[in-house]
Amino acid sequence: MKAVILVGGEGTRLRPLTCNRPKAMVPVLNTPFLEHVIHHLARHQVREIVLAMGHLAQPIEGYLGDGSRFGVRLSYVVEEAPLGTAGAIKNAEKYLDDTFLALNGDIFADLDITAMASFHRQCRAKVTIALTPVDDPTQYGLVETDERGRILRFVEKPSPEEITTNRVNAGTYVIEPDVLAQIPPGTNVSIERETFPRLLASGEPVYAYPSSGYWMDTGTPEKYLQLHRDLLSGRSGYYPLAGEVVTGEGCHIHPSAQIRGPVVIGSNCTIDRDVRIIGPVVIGNGCTVLEGALVGDSVIWLSLIHI
Ligand code: GDD
Ligand code: MG
């Protein structure tokens, strides 16, 4: 199965982390976010991935290249003006001839994509939407289903009065290619506000695939930090070295420094005399922590260098 990843958003809510780089390239555990998403897809045998891009496309393509380093084939489609979530998928249509996956490019999740795709086939659905439980559905797309998982209603960013469930759109879809015929080309269209409600209104089979695994939308600095805390403490199955102290190549760590995991130190870092690093902490490539500093519950990286 092929996948389209939506990476055209400006990431304004993640500022200042996105002032100098696209949201998809913001590092998680010192690796660009999108690289984690691509590894996750590759583990589920997704080998062809289209990146639907808008602003700041060049640094993404420059880093990821043709994808062969990650065992996948990458293609790029770039929008001149933002086309919205459905318009961006439509823009990738020439690559999409069979049932495909579409993903928001800012989600970190342990979602079982293989099981979701077979659920989609069993249900003979037009679209299957992964769901996740959240505390506050007002920031997400609320999804109401019947007892068999068929979606009855989709409400993007519901007001508090509209909340009837805590299960929301997890930002991963399995889609039949004929849905693309319903999206006008070259036009800004939202899949959440326009395409999904229209499919439901016309009685198309749209199903929900509930997931209880780890899930995080990395949309704000608070959530970005929480994602790191979760990965480092083992709350997601994704990171196998939870709890440990991991040090990259070329680091100089003074013998008097105290480092208590979970900590990840990138490559070519200098940790001076009497520094204390108390995890959860991630230190980016090329950082220097000066004498006597205490670092705790932090993610630190240099924002002005190219990755
Ligand atoms: N190519 C392209 N073009 N991508 C876009 C565009 C566009 O015009 N607009 C948004 N995107 C990408 C963003 O980069 C992001 O990866 C994804 O589409 C979703 O956009 P967000 O702006 O992050 O949406 P959100 O977080 O408010 O809500 C969405 O995600 C929630 C889950 O995190 C919705 O899909 C909600 O329904 C969902 O619950
Ligand atoms: Mg988002």
Side-chain angles (χ1 to χ4, degrees):
M1 196 163 45
K2 294 180 187 173
V4 186
I5 309 179
L6 300 173
V7 286
E10 291 189 24
T12 47
R13 287 167 293 177
L14 202 53
R15 282 181 191 152
L17 305 184
T18 45
C19 287
N20 295 309
R21 65 181 77 204
K23 182 164 154 183
M25 295 301 283
V26 166
V28 169
L29 300 176
N30 292 334
T31 298
F33 185 82
L34 201 51
E35 195 175 329
H36 294 289
V37 178
I38 291 170
H39 282 306
H40 182 63
L41 289 172
R43 272 200 300 275
H44 285 277
Q45 315 316 323
V46 176
R47 299 286 173 219
E48 286 184 52
I49 300 173
V50 187
L51 297 180
M53 308 200 288
H55 104 135
L56 293 179
Q58 206 291 320
I60 301 181
E61 188 165 354
Y63 177 80
L64 295 173
D66 66 2
S68 49
R69 271 189 297 146
F70 317 108
V72 299
R73 179 138 39 104
L74 292 179
S75 310
Y76 299 87
V77 285
V78 182
E79 295 148 45
E80 275 169 29
L83 291 174
T85 43
I89 297 172
K90 176 75 176 179
N91 201 37
E93 186 168 20
K94 69 173 178 186
Y95 295 102
L96 306 170
D97 44 11
D98 203 349
T99 308
F100 64 94
L101 271 170
L103 299 94
N104 288 351
D106 59 351
I107 305 295
F108 204 106
D110 290 340
L111 180 68
D112 187 345
I113 288 167
T114 310
M116 179 176 172
S118 62
F119 173 84
H120 173 86
R121 276 184 229 106
Q122 270 168 25
C123 297
R124 297 177 191 282
K126 273 281 178 240
V127 174
T128 298
I129 302 175
L131 300 192
T132 188
V134 292
D135 292 337
D136 176 14
T138 60
Q139 302 169 49
Y140 302 102
L142 177 139
V143 179
E144 285 177 10
T145 67
D146 69 13
E147 64 286 350
R148 286 177 306 118
R150 189 160 174 164
I151 296 181
L152 304 172
R153 209 160 76 102
F154 190 107
V155 191
E156 183 65 16
K157 309 286 187 306
S159 60
E161 311 78 66
E162 288 176 301
I163 295 173
T164 49
T165 167
N166 69 340
R167 293 200 306 173
V168 301
N169 170 18
T172 301
Y173 319 121
V174 183
I175 302 178
E176 289 305 309
D178 56 356
V179 170
L180 295 170
Q182 305 188 21
I183 305 169
T187 312
N188 189 305
V189 182
S190 160
I191 201 163
E192 300 90 346
R193 295 181 192 277
E194 298 170 71
T195 313
F196 291 155
R198 199 171 301 141
L199 286 169
L200 292 171
S202 53
E204 296 282 8
V206 181
Y207 276 82
Y209 179 77
S211 169
S212 53
Y214 183 77
W215 183 88
M216 179 67 82
D217 171 331
T218 56
T220 62
E222 293 71 30
K223 287 180 180 162
Y224 175 77
L225 182 57
Q226 188 59 43
L227 171 65
H228 281 86
R229 292 185 187 120
D230 293 342
L231 291 170
L232 291 172
S233 67
R235 276 195 62 208
S236 151
Y238 181 84
Y239 181 58
L241 300 174
E244 297 184 21
V245 175
V246 178
T247 308
E249 289 172 4
C251 290
H252 298 282
I253 299 181
H254 195 278
S256 66
Q258 293 173 38
I259 304 176
R260 193 175 79 202
V263 168
V264 174
I265 299 176
S267 53
N268 303 313
C269 291
T270 301
I271 310 296
D272 274 355
R273 182 188 300 272
D274 295 331
V275 164
R276 282 185 301 149
I277 300 176
I278 313 293
V281 167
V282 177
I283 298 190
N285 300 336
C287 286
T288 296
V289 183
L290 291 176
E291 182 172 343
L294 168 63
V295 185
D297 194 26
S298 302
V299 177
I300 296 171
W301 39 268
L302 301 171
S303 78
L304 291 173
I305 54 162
H306 292 291
I307 304 165

